[in-house]
Amino acid sequence: MTTEWHVLGAGAIGGLFAHRLTRAGHKVTLLNRRGLAGERTLIFEYPDTTTTECLNYEPVEHTGVITHLWVTTKSFDVVPGLEAVLPRLSPDAHVVVLANGMGYHQKVAERLQNQTLIVGSTTAGCSKRGQNTWVIAGSGETQLGCWLHPSTAPDWFKDFSDQPWRCEWEPAIRDSLLKKLAVNCAINPPTALWDQTMLAREIHDMAHRVAHQTAANTSSMRADFQQERPTEIEAILGFLLDDLLPSAEGSIPLETPILRGWLNSVRTHDLALQSRQTK
């Protein structure tokens, strides 16, 4: 079944999933805020091969109806990005949000009416080089599920089952998001602050597996540091320390000096960057 998808957020993960959706037989349009329109040839470099994909670009302000939206922006752009295309969503649209961290999903749900909100996480390793080249370090694992209540997978999800990249439908998706949050809390801040990929080897179980799968890649926060961009620290460590732990029922205040130190250090970086950009 061919589905027409619009992908909002054409960064590393957005381009990768636009590529994957196309390979799964779907029609894909990349939304952008730079006024780009028409087809562009994109390059996808795998460890053992290189392939090209001709994908269509469309300005966000276009008036066409969106029935299936895949959101892969930075966490702090998820809600503003959705609001920019909200008038274009059909009443029964499916909205898939695949972004780092937590704390924004409920805000997205509040802005939707009868549309279906699907959220997820991925350990796919991918980085972007220039405007037209994606370097794919590992296929990773992707999990999707309904945000508001457990549900069966939609019809379009069946097209993912025979793909070379692993994608699973997870009824308990919030548990998966919390696990990914923990991994991001352990990997992203230290690699950003100290450029120290060896630290990931000390992290147990899931974090160790993710680090192994994405060894040829770089953490998203480390890339943000290197390219002088705002980080997603608030949706990762900020959500864990300031929202999740204090609100847990029957929770005992935890002393987390290392995590709190990472949070404060990355916040200092973001504030300094914001100050330079506003001058």
Side-chain angles (χ1 to χ4, degrees):
M1 180 183 71
T2 300
T3 302
E4 184 171 1
W5 284 95
H6 287 75
V7 177
L8 179 64
I13 295 298
L16 172 62
F17 276 90
H19 173 55
R20 288 179 168 182
L21 288 166
T22 301
R23 290 302 172 96
H26 299 287
K27 181 180 178 181
V28 178
T29 296
L30 287 164
L31 298 172
N32 72 96
R33 298 180 181 178
R34 295 180 294 159
L36 296 178
E39 293 186 341
R40 299 182 68 178
T41 299
L42 308 181
I43 302 169
F44 296 89
E45 296 182 355
Y46 289 86
D48 55 354
T49 187
T50 297
T51 185
T52 60
E53 203 82 70
C54 191
L55 293 175
N56 185 55
Y57 276 77
E58 179 181 282
V60 170
E61 57 270 18
H62 195 278
T63 57
V65 175
I66 296 175
T67 60
H68 293 78
L69 179 66
W70 198 285
V71 182
T72 53
T73 65
K74 290 291 188 179
S75 56
F76 47 76
D77 277 334
V78 169
V79 173
L82 176 68
E83 290 177 338
V85 298
L86 202 56
R88 298 180 56 184
L89 292 180
S90 65
D92 58 349
H94 283 201
V95 178
V96 178
V97 177
L98 195 67
N100 278 329
M102 295 182 70
Y104 51 84
H105 298 96
Q106 186 58 38
K107 296 177 182 177
V108 172
E110 291 168 356
R111 285 159 174 78
L112 299 178
Q113 298 179 11
N114 295 322
Q115 294 95 345
T116 300
L117 174 58
I118 296 169
V119 301
S121 67
T122 185
T123 59
C126 184
S127 59
K128 191 176 179 182
R129 186 172 66 237
Q131 292 298 318
N132 299 320
T133 302
W134 277 257
V135 181
I136 302 171
S139 59
E141 301 173 0
T142 301
Q143 293 179 316
L144 299 177
C146 282
W147 172 249
L148 293 180
H149 50 76
S151 176
T152 56
D155 290 341
W156 51 260
F157 188 82
K158 298 174 183 177
D159 297 331
F160 297 166
S161 60
D162 59 350
Q163 300 302 313
W165 49 282
R166 184 176 177 183
C167 188
E168 297 178 345
W169 185 259
E170 177 53 71
I173 192 61
R174 298 194 191 201
D175 291 344
S176 297
L177 294 179
L178 286 172
K179 292 177 183 177
K180 179 66 183 300
L181 178 75
V183 171
N184 278 335
C185 288
I187 292 179
N188 272 283
T191 55
L193 291 169
W194 296 295
D195 198 26
Q196 193 177 12
T197 56
M198 290 294 292
L199 182 63
R201 296 187 179 180
E202 301 174 7
I203 302 169
H204 198 47
D205 294 338
M206 184 177 180
H208 185 277
R209 184 172 71 254
V210 171
H212 176 73
Q213 292 174 342
T214 61
N217 195 35
T218 184
S219 77
S220 60
M221 195 172 294
R222 179 169 174 259
D224 290 336
F225 257 60
Q226 292 175 339
Q227 298 181 37
E228 288 294 290
R229 298 183 305 218
T231 73
E232 298 176 288
I233 193 66
E234 298 302 335
I236 298 177
L237 266 182
F239 176 77
L240 175 71
L241 299 183
D242 294 343
D243 296 319
L244 182 62
L245 293 182
S247 65
E249 184 177 354
S251 63
I252 300 174
L254 298 175
E255 294 295 329
T256 56
I258 294 178
L259 295 182
R260 181 62 63 177
W262 292 350
L263 175 61
N264 291 338
S265 295
V266 179
R267 276 177 171 167
T268 298
H269 164 272
D270 284 2
L271 288 172
L273 180 61
Q274 182 181 14
S275 177
R276 292 197 300 270
Q277 291 177 340
T278 55
K279 288 183 179 178

